[in-house]
């Protein structure tokens, strides 16, 4: 399932474990591409994702996910 792929991808980001990964996916329709396209503000709308973590997530998808 795509959710498992999403958790696998998100696991490469420092500070994103299974719990936060699942919350990110739940908050973005279960689609990793939605997380990749999200703004930092949208990422921070997920419980447990603050400014520093949203920066890491956002940077990961801009730098490493293409």
């Amino acid at each position: 399932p795509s959710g498992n792929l999403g958790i696998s991808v998100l696991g490469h980001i420092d500070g994103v474990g299974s719990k936060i990964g699942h919350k990110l996916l739940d908050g973005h329709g279960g689609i990793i591409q939605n997380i990749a396209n999200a703004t930092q503000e949208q990422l921070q709308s997920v419980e447990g994702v603050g400014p520093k973590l949203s920066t890491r997530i956002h940077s990961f998808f801009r730098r490493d996910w293409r």
Side-chain angles (χ1 to χ4, degrees):
S2 62
N4 291 337
L5 172 63
I7 294 300
S8 177
V9 170
L10 293 169
H12 290 282
I13 304 169
D14 185 38
V16 178
S18 178
K19 184 176 179 179
I20 295 289
H22 282 287
K23 287 182 180 184
L24 282 162
L25 283 167
D26 289 346
H28 291 89
I31 301 170
I32 192 73
Q33 194 64 43
N34 290 348
I35 298 169
N37 293 332
T39 65
Q40 289 182 315
E41 292 76 18
Q42 290 168 326
L43 294 168
Q44 288 178 46
S45 71
V46 174
E47 181 184 353
V49 179
K52 288 182 182 179
L53 185 52
S54 70
T55 297
R56 280 197 296 264
I57 296 166
H58 193 261
S59 294
F60 172 84
F61 285 109
R62 296 304 168 277
R63 181 184 66 240
D64 300 325
W65 177 265
R66 296 287 172 221

